[in-house]
Amino acid sequence: MSIQIRPLAPTDYLGWKPLWDGYNAFYGREGETALPDAVTQNTWQGFHNPVVPMFALVAESEGRLLGLTHYLFHVSTSRLQPVCYLQDLFTLPACRGQGIGKALIEAVYGEAHRAGACRVYWQTQDHNTAGRALYDKVAQHKGFIVYSHEL
């Protein structure tokens, strides 16, 4: 299977949305706990708004979207250059193990390098064993634990 990694296009909504829904379901955001549609629409519109610093890449094969990644850049108090936060990564379950996730991560590395960023980082849940097996091959786990407080 030939995979192409490319930027998300405004015409990709019907292929992107099931991937987005699958990603959110993986993290328990489905049914009664699903993200409000306004969040999904805001996210989608952000990718296509040049003043919003959110970016998206998709993995495509034979006209079908098989995976996505969303990322953004921000300043850092410990670096001179910007850093890149890889916020979302998802491939269709039937397509896992075929290098799509790795290709998406490496494409973000390329975009970060072109943007002058000095670091790409992301987080995942500790029970994401399949994802973590890939992440251990393409990055270093630095031992940080994430805390969050919703406002």
Side-chain angles (χ1 to χ4, degrees):
M1 173 171 42
S2 174
I3 304 294
Q4 176 192 7
I5 307 297
R6 62 169 177 79
L8 183 71
T11 56
D12 286 330
Y13 185 79
L14 292 178
W16 172 85
K17 179 72 164 55
L19 295 168
W20 175 242
D21 290 342
Y23 170 79
N24 284 298
F26 180 82
Y27 285 107
R29 297 183 297 254
E30 64 181 332
E32 290 185 14
T33 61
L35 291 176
D37 189 57
V39 172
T40 293
Q41 293 308 313
N42 187 65
T43 298
W44 174 257
Q45 292 168 9
F47 296 134
H48 308 292
N49 184 337
V51 300
V52 177
M54 294 190 327
F55 305 92
L57 300 172
V58 290
E60 180 180 40
S61 179
E62 299 176 3
R64 182 175 177 221
L65 299 188
L66 308 177
L68 62 74
T69 188
H70 305 147
Y71 59 99
L72 52 96
F73 299 101
H74 64 86
V75 298
S76 171
T77 60
S78 61
R79 315 276 173 141
L80 294 175
Q81 300 89 359
V83 295
C84 178
Y85 177 53
L86 192 161
Q87 188 162 8
D88 310 315
L89 177 71
F90 183 78
T91 60
L92 291 173
C95 299
R96 293 186 183 150
Q98 299 177 31
I100 296 169
K102 181 179 181 194
L104 285 163
I105 291 169
E106 289 176 346
V108 171
Y109 288 171
E111 294 298 319
H113 179 75
R114 281 186 281 287
C118 63
R119 178 178 183 235
V120 175
Y121 73 102
W122 61 92
Q123 60 186 350
T124 193
Q125 290 183 325
D126 60 356
H127 65 75
N128 184 5
T129 54
R132 291 182 69 192
L134 167 62
Y135 306 156
D136 287 342
K137 293 175 185 170
V138 299
Q140 291 180 319
H141 180 268
K142 300 284 190 169
F144 283 87
I145 298 169
V146 176
Y147 289 88
S148 177
H149 176 79
E150 301 295 322
L151 301 174

